[in-house]
Amino acid sequence: MERKVAIVTGGSRGIGQAIAVKLSEAGYDLVLNYRSREDEALAVKKVLEEKGGVCEIVQADVSKFDDAKKLVQFAKKTFGRIDVLVNNAGITKDALLPMMKEADFDAVIDVNLKGTFNCMKHAMRVMMKQKSGVIINISSVIGLMGNIGQTNYAASKAGVIAMMKSLAKEGGSFGIRANAIAPGFIQSRMTDNLPEEIKEEMLKAIPLKAFGQPEDVANLVKFLASDDARYITGQVINVDGGMVM
């Protein structure tokens, strides 16, 4: 396959790392974004390069308009084009609504929602000139169903779905596709550290009776980015073991 170029935000660990690995294996040159964990980003870069991939890392806080612009401009200047943007960067600051601090609401919206807007806006300009491109927003089942203690997170993840749908309508005539993925409970450092009784309670809500793996999300990103998904746009696809069914 002819090598294409993909930007993955929040790509230094977890789902973002799995996405970066999967796209690199599929022949994409990677621009891997991180905010603060340079050591982890460098470790991912090393893994990809050892497998013959091409990866550049860029420090940027995507919640800042100019940082997101810098990220996109770096990708364009370095590789000449941008074929795929995966908006994966996200944070949580959980609390019941009466106790939620305004600063914690703002922080989650700034990174998860505005950060996605910032990256889409800058990448869209490049993709419109190319007359091609794919944007994939990593949302969450929480954006579809809500969750106790996650008003801010739910709002941000519902927002990235709504933005994706609008972008899909705007970008279609330019050959730009946009979709969203809504992961459920994906195995991570957080889930590994949960007490067994909490895990058992969570699993009761999942028909497949297992947590997902980061690779489950990455496999779908690879498909949606490819020409095999050329007629799919404006969609939200759950990777949740049937939890929201």
Side-chain angles (χ1 to χ4, degrees):
M1 150 178 182
E2 180 183 351
R3 296 192 72 87
K4 294 185 177 181
V5 180
I7 299 173
V8 180
T9 69
S12 61
R13 62 176 179 166
I15 291 174
Q17 177 181 346
I19 291 169
V21 170
K22 189 64 64 174
L23 290 179
S24 180
E25 290 174 349
Y28 289 82
D29 293 334
L30 264 291
V31 175
L32 194 71
N33 158 251
Y34 70 97
R35 183 173 65 168
S36 58
R37 297 182 175 89
E38 182 181 23
D39 57 334
E40 294 183 347
L42 286 170
V44 177
K45 174 180 169 70
K46 181 180 179 181
V47 168
L48 299 186
E49 290 178 341
E50 286 176 348
K51 294 181 178 181
V54 176
C55 178
E56 299 290 342
I57 64 171
V58 178
Q59 190 284 326
D61 180 348
V62 296
S63 71
K64 297 177 180 177
F65 189 81
D66 288 341
D67 271 25
K69 184 176 183 180
K70 176 188 75 173
L71 170 64
V72 170
Q73 286 180 335
F74 174 88
K76 178 66 168 65
K77 182 177 180 180
T78 303
F79 295 108
R81 59 185 296 111
I82 300 170
D83 296 289
V84 178
L85 166 65
V86 182
N87 289 301
N88 171 72
I91 63 171
T92 58
K93 289 185 178 291
D94 299 348
L96 294 174
L97 185 58
M99 279 75 80
M100 184 175 289
K101 298 176 182 177
E102 181 184 6
D104 289 344
F105 183 88
D106 289 346
V108 171
I109 295 297
D110 282 348
V111 174
N112 300 6
L113 185 60
K114 189 166 187 289
T116 297
F117 163 79
N118 289 341
C119 292
M120 290 196 307
K121 175 181 171 63
H122 295 305
M124 188 80 164
R125 291 180 177 273
V126 177
M127 292 177 176
M128 287 172 71
K129 290 180 180 178
Q130 295 172 175
K131 299 289 187 181
S132 67
V134 177
I135 293 176
I136 301 169
N137 290 348
I138 306 301
S139 180
S140 168
V141 295
I142 304 306
L144 300 172
M145 58 187 286
N147 196 32
I148 294 171
Q150 291 192 306
T151 303
N152 49 3
Y153 187 74
S156 70
K157 291 302 187 178
V160 301
I161 289 173
M163 287 198 302
M164 173 277 295
K165 288 179 178 290
S166 296
L167 187 148
K169 291 182 177 182
E170 293 181 7
S173 60
F174 293 93
I176 299 168
R177 296 188 293 106
N179 293 287
I181 298 173
F185 288 115
I186 304 299
Q187 190 164 349
S188 64
R189 296 175 189 175
M190 181 187 74
T191 56
D192 289 342
N193 292 329
L194 289 172
E196 285 303 317
E197 58 270 22
I198 298 295
K199 289 183 184 180
E200 291 174 9
E201 197 63 31
M202 293 167 71
L203 287 171
K204 288 179 183 178
I206 304 173
L208 290 184
K209 303 304 177 189
F211 291 128
Q213 299 296 320
E215 290 74 20
D216 295 322
V217 179
N219 286 332
L220 181 54
V221 169
K222 175 187 172 183
F223 168 70
L224 289 174
S226 74
D227 290 339
D228 290 339
R230 68 179 186 84
Y231 204 57
I232 300 174
T233 194
Q235 303 304 306
V236 184
I237 304 176
N238 295 0
V239 181
D240 65 353
M243 186 176 72
V244 183
M245 182 168 45

